[in-house]
Amino acid sequence: MQGLKLAGSLLLAGLLAACASNTPQNGAGAPVENRTASTDTSTNQVTDDGKMAQVDLDKQNGDEIANLQKGSVFFDYDQFTVRDEFKGLIEANAAYLKKNPAAKLLIQGNTDERGSREYNLALGQKRANAVKEAIEVLGADSARVEAASLGEEKPRCEQATEDCYAQNRRADFLYQGK
Amino acid sequence: MLRMKKYVRQIGLGILSTLLVARVANALDFEVVGTGGNQIPVVIMPFAQENAYAQLITPVVKADLTRSGLFKLVDFTPAQTPTDLNQIPYDELTRRGVMAVAIGTVEPQASGVAVVKYRLVDVAKHEQIDGLALNQPATQLRRIAHKVADRIFEKLTGDRGVFSTKIAYVLKQGKRFFLQVADADGYNPQSVVSSSEPIISPAWSADGGQIAYVSFEAKKPVVYVQSLSTGNRKAVANFKGSNSSPAFSADGSRLAVVLTQEGHSQIYSVPAQGGPAKRLSQSNGIDTEPTFAPDGSIYFTSDRGGSPQIYRMGSEGGAASRVTFEGAYNVSPDISPDGKGMVFVQNAGGRFRVAFMDFASRQTQLLTDTSHDESPSFAPNGKLILYATQQGGHGVLAAVSSDGRVKQKLTELAGDVREPAWGPFTGR
């Protein structure tokens, strides 16, 4: 589980980096606009050549989505509750949904390979549901959050080992739209 | 113990390489790994003039009967191929303990038609038991051979043969998934769906014309129904959340499916053309894997009692009664065509094995000695069960007789095979 915790921390670091990246694209120009006012301390660099940088909001959101989609919530064997260590990830997703009213989130629950495929699909649904509830508790609009299951069909790791099974017992985040 | 292998491979690259998906050209390979106790000794005489065509009749009939495990194919090559009852060497056959002998002819006609005649003869009585003359395009010789094997099987065992039926399964090759439909002997596999996303849970309509399945092409499970003849497909359950585990009602008008409209997985009924869903099961846990019994009732897997067990409810849903009690994991029911029993997967000590329960006695018998069994599916005559298991880390199909005595393995040569579903009888 150490590795997973580490992955979670890296992800949060990545999110912070994404938030701080509202700097001019080419590093030389001046910002035209910055809509996330809370992070504007690093953006007020005015340079001499008169060129101004353009902030591409689509790309910015895309980067943020890409970072959010890198995160996964991992579950213990036969368990369906979201462990505390994933609180930061849940909060980041809830915050993104609140900030972007058009964003839609598909949460995909997954299981390890042991047992019936259809029963595992139902178990993966329980994991997706647990993550959905955790995000909704933080105020995200439930109409824009969908929980579905991939069961054992999309394993991240394909060996029959406990380490592998642990990587497959997870929920992933997939954003549709912006 | 009889070991037979590799008579099912010559299907060819010759025929199928013209398809875009040439990698799927390999047929399933059959291996009989156990046979029944009392085999019926028979001789299948070479069909006269069958060499007029590349597709021979006799080897197909022999292979079918051998694979069933119920026949002992006595090796006998006559000096002259008999084409009539009075040419059969009864004394010699009696000396070898043969009970029945099949003779036949293949007569090429103009315009690509072949007349195939077959007779089954009781060796002791010198009497014809069965006879058939078929006038068919010569492209159908393999199908005719299966029909002949079906007739022999039925006359000598009393049960209808399943050699002319089809099976569906999912093949995973590399990162691609194929929904395959093949003859019951693994021949003539055809990809009816191919996708880069997983496909699971194929289910046949009772008339064999349609297949329902779950595809993950939309990044979540959606239930489709597809016509096998036209390839037309439609998403018939595509509700918010997951849609899975389809099963056709006997009249083909509706599907039992599993939806997550209330959050947790519950069993619903939807029109086979798609439409509003009606909830059938009522629990606070998981209800999944619905399957219809011949009387219309629905058997399914539920964890409402704390562990996954098999339950039964009426065709309109509602209250359910628990069916399995032994062990902590009983899933994936399939009801025998006569409604008298079911096969399912039981996990005992980490081994997932196919088991059979007789409803009258409530006795359960483990049918297999493998460890990763999934998706048992009855042949339409109830005599064989097709299931998925693993061999050397590969997904393979296997079949076992309902008494557990006859075992077969079917191996796809390149890829993982899983999710088998045995198709229905079609026509007579």
Side-chain angles (χ1 to χ4, degrees):
Chain A
M1 285 301 111
Q2 283 304 327
L4 300 181
K5 274 181 184 160
L6 185 61
S9 320
L10 284 175
L11 177 102
L12 284 177
L15 290 177
L16 294 173
C19 290
S21 70
N22 297 323
T23 47
Q25 298 289 312
N26 55 15
V32 188
E33 185 183 16
N34 177 12
R35 285 192 179 164
T36 43
S38 62
T39 57
D40 64 357
T41 49
S42 62
T43 59
N44 294 325
Q45 312 154 6
V46 180
T47 50
D48 292 333
D49 61 6
K51 282 185 185 169
M52 296 181 192
Q54 186 184 31
V55 175
D56 181 342
L57 292 179
D58 290 346
K59 183 174 187 306
Q60 234 176 55
N61 283 342
D63 289 345
E64 200 171 348
I65 286 172
N67 273 312
L68 286 172
Q69 290 186 162
K70 279 179 200 157
S72 294
V73 176
F74 293 91
F75 294 83
D76 292 331
Y77 174 69
D78 208 25
Q79 293 299 314
F80 310 93
T81 50
V82 180
R83 299 200 302 259
D84 282 349
E85 68 195 82
F86 300 105
K87 204 175 156 199
L89 181 57
I90 298 289
E91 285 168 355
N93 278 280
Y96 183 81
L97 283 165
K98 282 197 261 185
K99 197 174 71 185
N100 298 279
K104 286 185 176 176
L105 172 61
L106 175 64
I107 301 162
Q108 300 169 316
N110 296 267
T111 67
D112 66 42
E113 66 175 32
R114 291 169 287 184
S116 150
R117 288 175 187 275
E118 282 287 353
Y119 189 67
N120 282 341
L121 198 74
L123 293 177
Q125 184 70 34
K126 284 178 76 171
R127 292 191 172 132
N129 289 348
V131 172
K132 182 178 195 285
E133 280 160 26
I135 287 177
E136 285 168 7
V137 161
L138 297 176
D141 172 13
S142 64
R144 291 187 286 124
V145 183
E146 179 173 9
S149 179
L150 305 180
E152 66 177 86
E153 308 307 326
K154 298 288 267 186
R156 188 170 286 179
C157 178
E158 301 205 34
Q159 280 126 41
T161 63
E162 188 41 50
D163 275 358
C164 237
Y165 293 151
Q167 291 182 55
N168 295 337
R169 293 191 298 264
R170 67 182 198 282
D172 294 330
F173 301 89
L174 190 62
Y175 279 91
Q176 300 156 322
K178 293 208 168 71
Chain B
M1 180 167 295
L2 177 66
R3 283 190 84 85
M4 280 228 33
K5 206 167 153 55
K6 297 200 199 271
Y7 47 80
V8 192
R9 188 112 58 99
Q10 70 267 43
I11 180 104
L13 292 171
I15 301 166
L16 291 172
S17 61
T18 52
L19 298 180
L20 287 175
V21 193
R23 286 180 307 163
V24 193
N26 293 321
L28 292 166
D29 216 6
F30 263 95
E31 182 182 4
V32 178
V33 292
T35 59
N38 297 312
Q39 294 183 313
I40 302 167
V42 295
V43 164
I44 311 300
M45 294 285 187
F47 276 50
Q49 301 175 67
E50 67 177 341
N51 289 319
Y53 298 101
Q55 177 63 64
L56 304 179
I57 302 271
T58 318
V60 177
V61 175
K62 285 182 167 178
D64 280 347
L65 297 176
T66 301
R67 215 174 49 251
S68 76
L70 300 182
F71 296 89
K72 180 167 184 257
L73 275 292
V74 178
D75 209 11
F76 181 82
T77 311
Q80 196 173 6
T81 301
T83 55
D84 207 345
L85 262 62
N86 58 21
Q87 296 167 356
I88 293 172
Y90 292 106
D91 292 348
E92 178 63 19
L93 293 176
T94 304
R95 200 157 43 243
R96 294 178 186 226
V98 175
M99 280 176 61
V101 57
I103 60 172
T105 57
V106 178
E107 298 163 12
Q109 307 288 304
S111 68
V113 166
V115 174
V116 177
K117 291 176 181 164
Y118 127 90
R119 294 175 186 188
L120 185 63
V121 181
D122 182 324
V123 170
K125 294 181 182 165
H126 301 203
E127 273 175 14
Q128 180 170 325
I129 309 168
D130 189 31
L132 183 70
L134 285 165
N135 194 332
Q136 293 277 322
T139 52
Q140 301 294 309
L141 285 171
R142 198 171 174 89
R143 208 168 62 80
I144 292 168
H146 289 315
K147 201 172 173 70
V148 168
D150 281 338
R151 298 281 292 238
I152 295 172
F153 185 92
E154 182 164 353
K155 287 293 167 189
L156 297 181
T157 71
D159 294 306
R160 199 167 165 188
V162 293
F163 306 119
S164 300
T165 59
K166 297 204 179 290
I167 58 173
Y169 55 92
V170 174
L171 168 65
K172 185 186 179 204
Q173 276 188 328
K175 297 195 173 202
R176 287 197 72 78
F177 297 83
F178 302 90
L179 178 54
Q180 304 282 95
V181 174
D183 294 350
D185 63 356
Y187 257 82
N188 298 328
Q190 301 182 60
S191 293
V192 298
V193 186
S194 75
S195 177
S196 56
E197 295 295 336
I199 298 164
I200 61 168
S201 305
W204 292 84
S205 64
D207 65 3
Q210 292 178 299
I211 208 156
Y213 55 90
V214 177
S215 166
F216 291 77
E217 69 204 61
K219 308 294 180 193
K220 66 171 213 171
V222 173
V223 176
Y224 290 83
V225 168
Q226 181 166 327
S227 158
L228 289 176
S229 59
T230 67
N232 289 339
R233 64 197 290 263
K234 186 174 184 198
V236 298
N238 187 11
F239 298 97
K240 195 170 182 184
S242 298
N243 309 263
S244 70
S245 213
F248 276 98
S249 64
D251 67 2
S253 68
R254 299 190 73 82
L255 288 173
V257 293
V258 172
L259 307 178
T260 60
Q261 295 191 316
E262 309 286 325
H264 59 306
S265 303
Q266 292 284 293
I267 297 163
Y268 291 73
S269 170
V270 294
Q273 304 79 25
K278 180 182 156 222
R279 187 166 169 183
L280 294 180
S281 72
Q282 302 283 345
S283 78
N284 295 319
I286 289 171
D287 290 343
T288 187
E289 300 187 313
T291 187
F292 287 94
D295 67 1
S297 63
I298 298 170
Y299 287 73
F300 61 100
T301 303
S302 176
D303 71 350
R304 62 184 67 189
S307 65
Q309 299 289 344
I310 294 162
Y311 290 74
R312 175 181 183 269
M313 64 182 173
S315 57
E316 297 302 309
S321 54
R322 185 167 164 175
V323 179
T324 53
F325 292 91
E326 288 172 43
Y329 192 99
N330 294 300
V331 298
S332 308
D334 191 43
I335 311 305
S336 66
D338 65 8
K340 291 180 178 171
M342 70 169 179
V343 285
F344 58 101
V345 171
Q346 182 170 74
N347 174 14
R351 290 187 76 186
F352 297 82
R353 296 161 74 183
V354 176
F356 175 79
M357 176 188 278
D358 175 64
F359 288 146
S361 66
R362 295 272 150 173
Q363 290 291 306
T364 292
Q365 179 197 356
L366 286 165
L367 297 183
T368 62
D369 50 15
T370 35
S371 301
H372 296 90
D373 302 352
E374 291 181 12
S375 307
S377 171
F378 268 107
N381 67 359
K383 295 294 155 185
L384 281 173
I385 297 112
L386 186 64
Y387 64 100
T389 188
Q390 284 185 14
Q391 189 175 37
H394 263 282
V396 298
L397 300 189
V400 61
S401 60
S402 51
D403 61 5
R405 298 180 78 155
V406 185
K407 294 186 172 75
Q408 310 168 14
K409 282 212 177 80
L410 300 76
T411 351
E412 174 75 33
L413 300 171
D416 275 300
V417 190
R418 71 275 286 266
E419 300 288 275
W422 207 315
F425 286 126
T426 49
R428 242 313 184 182

